[in-house]
Amino acid sequence: MRMSRYFLPTLKENPAEAQIASHRLMLRAGMVRQGAAGIYSWLPLGLRVLKKIEQIVREEQDRAGALEVLMPTIQSADLWSESGRYDDYGKEMLRITDRHGREMLYGPTNEELITDIFRREVKSYRDLPKNLYHIQWKFRDEIRPRFGVMRGREFLMKDAYSFDLTAEDGVKSYNAMFVAYLRTFARMGLTAIPMRADTGPIGGDLSHEFLIIAETGESEVFFHNKFNDMSDNFKVSGDHATIVAEWTEPYAATEEMHDEDSCSVAEGELVRGRGIEVGHIFFFGDKYSKPLNAVVQGPEGPPSAVQMGSYGIGVSRLVGGIIEASHDDNGIIWPEAVAPFKVGLMNLGPKKEDCVEFCDKLYADLEAAGVEVLYDDRKDGAGAKFANMDLIGLPWQVAVGPRGLKNGVVEVKNRATGEKRELTPEAFLAEMAA
Amino acid sequence: MRMSRYFLPTLKENPAEAQIASHRLMLRAGMVRQGAAGIYSWLPLGLRVLKKIEQIVREEQDRAGALEVLMPTIQSADLWSESGRYDDYGKEMLRITDRHGREMLYGPTNEELITDIFRREVKSYRDLPKNLYHIQWKFRDEIRPRFGVMRGREFLMKDAYSFDLTAEDGVKSYNAMFVAYLRTFARMGLTAIPMRADTGPIGGDLSHEFLIIAETGESEVFFHNKFNDMSDNFKVSGDHATIVAEWTEPYAATEEMHDEDSCSVAEGELVRGRGIEVGHIFFFGDKYSKPLNAVVQGPEGPPSAVQMGSYGIGVSRLVGGIIEASHDDNGIIWPEAVAPFKVGLMNLGPKKEDCVEFCDKLYADLEAAGVEVLYDDRKDGAGAKFANMDLIGLPWQVAVGPRGLKNGVVEVKNRATGEKRELTPEAFLAEMAA
């Protein structure tokens, strides 16, 4: 993509309304713009990141055997009255009355709706297990939306729902999602630590939050330093139950769950850090299937309410979370798997014909090799171009100037390490295309 | 995908509530289920089709140089007061009051919001032309939602918005979208005819609807029989203005625009058919940019309001529209480009070990070759499997039974033509992977 044609309204100054790094950097890098309090439009650069995260989440859900569906954003209030949550949910639920006076709502989560779909279609244990997920916009009418996409009102979430005949099978489904979450976050270059969690308004008694560790995280967390090694060496080996056991054995707790007295980790092994919740999984048995009468015929005996779990990942929240975990004073540092483009190409001699020609060719060659490249072909000065590239945080920067051109080399910078090298364009191309 | 693991709740009987073919078939094929009046959940099979259509639309927008963004579903009412449309829009607009008493709405279209984004960021003609599009759920609170996804309340739409300095450039942008639409529909295997249209609540004085021709279409259309040849031979050659001229020269009109008296097409050349609107494009100049004060500095003279157009495609509506245009008494007939799977593999001897082994291998080979295949590995009888495959309408059916197994052949059926052939599994695999 040529910047001269792109829509990338970057800002030189820090916007006053942004209190945290990710909010500030997403505005400055032209990724999002606020439409109303806690409601954002995603501009081209931001949308590319959102889509990459969404796709990794999707692939790992598919790999785990979950089936993708898509439920609507607007739901009838009736189902929520049936489950008993309509009154419970309070003012965070955006309630709507349609033209015929029917009570509707913008889904903050989908336990009721998916259970309704399930109960209408599935009648026998033979059709189990099933895990249905979707990636859809949700709305929670936060009293004080803040921190950009980290605590917005309209947000993109992946939510999966598992259905099993027995609680034992239900825990197997829970474990499969647990492992899928480890894989998902690892692929994004994140250290995400599962922590035993409160179940809150979702309910049930088995639940884990996944938190990524970032200095600027929203809440204090306490965990055994073993986790640092485990994250570095993360591999999926062994069966799900074994992996879950390994990852839940060392101590890890959020502020709310942490208890100084009962925590037996030696002082030197306990890490006090800050975390950002990016996933939350629940096993809640028949909490919804019973009131909604989602029953299946078992192999013997009377029909029984299905055993359910639900599994959320904050997809839009992750965009902010990754930035919190990976930035410096100059801007964002994208992990390659979620970067909007892999390469940022800068023409430092945009008024010189040979430099333009050289850059145009390198751009075409990169694109032809399937490398995603953002090409700064504008007339701006070199300083502005370098600053802008650091701000938007593409993993590889390549600068082409009159001096390098004479020597037949381009200057390549790794955004994460800052390491700079001079390479022939052929060598650079080969490295990027590999 | 194995059917034994899939979530594909097909129905043998026609649902009483469905009045038209696409609604009936989408329910019977387990593609969607209604959550509330005019609001649908997309089940796995239906979602695959929706995503394929969405992706074709996206690729052709990108090819035309439009840039993808994503605006939220919920908007502030303020912008609509500014443009003057807040009161105009009537009861079809879903109006919402948030917890702080602020007036919000579920976007039925996005002229206001995109113009707001544009006016905040773009100040100079140097940044023009721009065309920004998104693919997002919209809501129109139809008084009587019906016909399934063809006239639902929550629906997926692609809407693009072009910004130019002059009306002349604006028409160029309009023409580029016109051609992109021809390409888009042609790729889906559809004959879509552009017809001069009323501009309605969007405004402006240049507008075309694109209608696909289907016996069961919602409205009567009149067009010159030249269009049949043009669709068959559709190629994008020549510049945009020429292509637009070619496609707007022959007579074509919807019922509302048709005028018996002024229509000069010879009786033998005039086709009376039925059509389904799947796209609608508008050029409306400064209708929104003026009240919203979206002005740019020109190369000389004072700043002027940008010239805008908007361009919609009904993405979820197309799923129904394609079925209306392509089905028979037995079910759906998917054009290959939008089919949920390319191949339906049926094991007709699911209780015979050699037949299972053979089918499992063919399934694995097809998947390995990158062919999307739905594998009916269930214990049902052959009759039910054949009927089900015809219903869901995959382009290629391949049946493996004990008899064929003995002769080393599989039976291949083309769903569209009904043609049947016996092939070795190797020959079938080679044909599908080609």
Side-chain angles (χ1 to χ4, degrees):
Chain A
M1 176 59 66
R2 282 172 186 270
M3 275 205 198
S4 59
R5 290 202 44 256
Y6 210 40
F7 183 53
L8 182 63
T10 53
L11 307 173
K12 284 205 190 82
E13 306 297 329
N14 281 326
E17 73 266 33
Q19 301 166 41
I20 62 170
S22 60
H23 189 190
R24 205 157 53 227
L25 289 169
M26 287 179 74
L27 290 172
R28 285 195 53 202
M31 293 176 64
V32 291
R33 286 297 181 262
Q34 183 171 280
I39 303 180
Y40 289 87
S41 289
W42 294 76
L43 304 190
L45 196 79
L47 183 60
R48 286 179 77 99
V49 177
L50 187 70
K51 294 238 166 228
K52 293 216 169 167
I53 292 173
E54 180 183 332
Q55 187 56 22
I56 291 174
V57 170
R58 175 175 290 120
E59 287 170 11
E60 294 303 327
Q61 292 292 297
D62 291 344
R63 185 200 301 268
L67 300 168
E68 189 172 5
V69 298
L70 187 60
M71 289 174 271
T73 61
I74 302 296
Q75 307 178 13
S76 162
D78 295 348
L79 280 173
W80 290 71
S81 300
E82 240 186 288
S83 75
R85 283 209 294 181
Y86 191 51
D87 296 325
D88 292 1
Y89 225 91
K91 291 195 170 178
E92 279 199 10
M93 181 183 276
L94 190 68
R95 290 158 211 262
I96 302 169
T97 306
D98 76 4
R99 68 187 295 168
H100 296 298
R102 282 178 296 226
E103 286 180 32
M104 315 290 289
L105 56 94
Y106 198 121
T109 178
N110 286 61
E111 281 80 8
E112 282 79 359
L113 193 48
I114 197 75
T115 306
D116 180 53
I117 291 169
F118 180 90
R119 72 179 172 180
R120 289 198 270 164
E121 309 299 340
V122 180
K123 305 293 179 193
S124 163
Y125 75 97
R126 286 190 194 88
D127 294 323
L128 302 181
K130 278 281 174 291
N131 186 327
L132 304 175
Y133 78 98
H134 76 158
I135 302 174
Q136 176 63 295
W137 293 89
K138 313 282 191 294
F139 202 97
R140 288 184 195 164
D141 202 0
E142 298 268 354
I143 189 159
R144 201 161 67 87
R146 56 193 186 283
F147 306 148
V149 302
M150 298 284 287
R151 184 154 303 189
R153 294 198 288 171
E154 187 169 330
F155 59 96
L156 187 60
M157 186 167 129
K158 184 285 297 181
D159 36 329
Y161 302 88
S162 64
F163 301 88
D164 286 278
L165 182 65
T166 66
E168 198 188 338
D169 288 347
V171 172
K172 279 187 197 155
S173 294
Y174 183 92
N175 288 345
M177 280 290 111
F178 189 108
V179 174
Y181 275 41
L182 290 176
R183 289 188 64 104
T184 300
F185 299 126
R187 278 187 63 185
M188 294 176 195
L190 296 171
T191 299
I193 299 180
M195 306 197 183
R196 188 95 186 179
D198 251 345
T199 57
I202 305 285
D205 46 27
L206 174 59
S207 177
H208 287 90
E209 287 178 325
F210 290 77
L211 288 100
I212 55 178
I213 305 308
E215 272 175 45
T216 51
E218 62 203 345
S219 54
E220 206 174 359
V221 293
F222 304 84
F223 59 93
H224 197 290
N225 63 11
K226 275 185 197 172
F227 275 112
N228 294 329
D229 296 336
M230 289 168 67
S231 299
D232 288 347
N233 305 319
F234 178 64
K235 280 190 291 288
V236 177
S237 53
D239 68 334
H240 292 161
T242 309
I243 297 171
V244 172
E246 265 175 47
W247 280 80
T248 51
E249 185 272 314
Y251 187 85
T254 58
E255 207 168 357
E256 295 134 17
M257 302 291 276
H258 180 61
D259 181 350
E260 288 282 348
D261 301 330
S262 72
C263 171
S264 62
V265 184
E267 186 55 31
E269 292 171 345
L270 186 70
V271 183
R272 289 185 168 75
R274 299 196 72 81
I276 296 167
E277 186 198 332
V278 290
H280 202 158
I281 62 177
F282 303 86
F283 176 67
F284 41 68
D286 60 9
K287 179 179 154 103
Y288 300 92
S289 55
K290 215 165 170 177
L292 290 168
N293 199 33
V295 298
V296 289
Q297 194 67 47
E300 50 208 24
S304 61
V306 285
Q307 296 286 315
M308 292 176 60
S310 75
Y311 314 91
I313 290 181
V315 176
S316 51
R317 173 167 246 256
L318 266 166
V319 180
I322 291 170
I323 294 174
E324 292 294 337
S326 185
H327 68 275
D328 63 17
D329 289 345
N330 297 324
I332 302 167
I333 302 170
W334 290 115
E336 204 161 305
V338 300
F341 296 89
K342 182 174 180 177
V343 172
L345 166 62
M346 289 170 275
N347 180 357
L348 304 184
K351 289 166 192 165
K352 292 188 200 300
E353 207 173 303
D354 58 345
C355 212
V356 171
E357 210 170 281
F358 184 92
C359 285
D360 283 358
K361 179 171 185 317
L362 183 54
Y363 173 58
D365 289 347
L366 284 162
E367 292 243 299
V371 179
E372 293 178 320
V373 50
L374 183 63
Y375 170 22
D376 195 342
D377 60 341
R378 298 173 303 180
K379 299 278 182 283
D380 307 23
K385 287 188 177 178
F386 281 118
N388 205 53
M389 277 295 173
D390 275 355
L391 172 64
I392 65 175
L394 308 184
W396 299 97
Q397 299 175 6
V398 55
V400 179
R403 196 183 51 79
L405 208 60
K406 215 183 297 170
N407 303 326
V409 293
V410 298
E411 190 182 82
V412 178
K413 177 174 138 183
N414 179 312
R415 174 67 180 91
T417 63
E419 186 207 0
K420 287 182 187 171
R421 290 172 297 156
E422 291 197 331
L423 291 176
T424 63
E426 294 75 23
F428 174 68
L429 185 64
E431 198 177 309
M432 290 300 108
Chain B
M1 175 60 66
R2 284 173 184 268
M3 274 205 198
S4 59
R5 291 201 44 258
Y6 210 40
F7 183 52
L8 183 62
T10 53
L11 307 173
K12 285 206 190 82
E13 307 296 330
N14 281 326
E17 73 265 35
Q19 299 166 42
I20 62 169
S22 60
H23 189 191
R24 204 157 54 226
L25 288 169
M26 288 180 73
L27 290 172
R28 286 195 53 201
M31 293 176 64
V32 291
R33 288 294 182 262
Q34 182 170 281
I39 303 178
Y40 289 86
S41 288
W42 293 76
L43 305 190
L45 196 78
L47 183 59
R48 286 179 76 100
V49 177
L50 186 69
K51 294 237 168 230
K52 293 216 168 168
I53 292 173
E54 181 184 332
Q55 187 55 25
I56 291 173
V57 170
R58 174 176 291 120
E59 286 169 12
E60 294 303 327
Q61 292 292 295
D62 290 346
R63 184 201 302 267
L67 299 168
E68 189 172 5
V69 299
L70 186 61
M71 289 174 270
T73 61
I74 302 295
Q75 307 178 14
S76 161
D78 295 349
L79 279 175
W80 289 70
S81 300
E82 239 185 287
S83 74
R85 282 208 295 180
Y86 190 51
D87 296 324
D88 293 359
Y89 225 89
K91 290 195 168 179
E92 280 199 10
M93 180 183 275
L94 190 68
R95 290 158 209 264
I96 302 169
T97 306
D98 77 3
R99 69 188 293 167
H100 295 298
R102 283 178 296 226
E103 287 181 32
M104 314 289 287
L105 56 93
Y106 198 121
T109 177
N110 286 59
E111 280 80 9
E112 282 78 1
L113 194 47
I114 197 77
T115 305
D116 181 52
I117 291 169
F118 180 90
R119 71 179 173 182
R120 288 198 271 165
E121 309 298 343
V122 181
K123 306 292 180 196
S124 163
Y125 76 96
R126 286 191 195 84
D127 295 321
L128 301 181
K130 279 279 174 288
N131 186 327
L132 304 174
Y133 77 98
H134 76 157
I135 302 175
Q136 178 61 294
W137 294 89
K138 313 283 191 298
F139 202 98
R140 289 184 196 163
D141 202 359
E142 298 267 355
I143 187 159
R144 200 161 68 87
R146 57 193 186 283
F147 306 148
V149 301
M150 299 282 288
R151 182 153 303 188
R153 293 198 289 170
E154 186 169 330
F155 58 96
L156 187 61
M157 188 165 127
K158 183 284 299 179
D159 36 327
Y161 302 89
S162 64
F163 301 89
D164 286 278
L165 182 64
T166 65
E168 197 188 339
D169 287 347
V171 171
K172 278 186 198 155
S173 294
Y174 183 91
N175 288 345
M177 281 289 113
F178 189 108
V179 174
Y181 275 41
L182 290 176
R183 290 188 63 105
T184 301
F185 299 125
R187 277 186 63 185
M188 294 177 194
L190 296 171
T191 298
I193 299 180
M195 305 195 184
R196 189 95 187 181
D198 250 345
T199 56
I202 305 287
D205 48 25
L206 175 58
S207 176
H208 287 90
E209 288 178 325
F210 290 78
L211 288 100
I212 54 177
I213 305 308
E215 273 175 43
T216 52
E218 61 203 348
S219 55
E220 206 173 358
V221 293
F222 304 83
F223 58 94
H224 197 290
N225 63 12
K226 276 185 196 170
F227 275 113
N228 293 329
D229 295 338
M230 289 169 67
S231 299
D232 288 348
N233 305 321
F234 179 64
K235 281 189 291 286
V236 176
S237 52
D239 69 331
H240 292 161
T242 309
I243 297 171
V244 172
E246 265 174 48
W247 281 80
T248 50
E249 184 273 313
Y251 187 84
T254 58
E255 206 168 358
E256 295 134 17
M257 301 292 275
H258 180 60
D259 181 350
E260 289 281 348
D261 301 328
S262 72
C263 170
S264 62
V265 183
E267 185 55 31
E269 293 171 346
L270 185 70
V271 182
R272 290 184 165 77
R274 299 196 71 81
I276 298 167
E277 186 197 333
V278 290
H280 202 157
I281 63 178
F282 303 86
F283 175 66
F284 42 68
D286 61 8
K287 179 178 154 101
Y288 300 92
S289 56
K290 213 165 174 179
L292 290 167
N293 200 32
V295 297
V296 290
Q297 193 67 49
E300 49 207 26
S304 60
V306 286
Q307 296 286 314
M308 292 177 58
S310 76
Y311 313 91
I313 291 182
V315 177
S316 50
R317 173 168 246 257
L318 267 167
V319 182
I322 291 170
I323 295 174
E324 293 294 338
S326 185
H327 70 275
D328 63 17
D329 289 345
N330 297 324
I332 302 166
I333 303 170
W334 290 116
E336 204 159 307
V338 300
F341 296 90
K342 182 175 181 177
V343 172
L345 166 62
M346 289 171 275
N347 179 356
L348 304 183
K351 289 165 191 167
K352 292 188 199 303
E353 209 172 301
D354 56 346
C355 211
V356 171
E357 212 169 278
F358 184 93
C359 285
D360 282 359
K361 179 170 185 320
L362 183 55
Y363 173 59
D365 289 347
L366 284 162
E367 293 243 300
V371 179
E372 294 179 318
V373 50
L374 184 62
Y375 172 20
D376 194 344
D377 60 341
R378 298 173 302 180
K379 299 279 184 282
D380 306 24
K385 286 188 178 178
F386 280 118
N388 205 52
M389 277 298 172
D390 276 353
L391 173 64
I392 65 175
L394 308 183
W396 298 97
Q397 299 175 4
V398 53
V400 179
R403 198 183 50 80
L405 207 61
K406 215 181 296 170
N407 303 326
V409 293
V410 298
E411 190 183 83
V412 179
K413 178 175 138 181
N414 178 310
R415 175 68 179 90
T417 63
E419 186 206 0
K420 287 181 187 170
R421 288 172 298 156
E422 291 198 331
L423 291 175
T424 63
E426 293 76 23
F428 174 68
L429 185 63
E431 198 177 309
M432 290 300 108

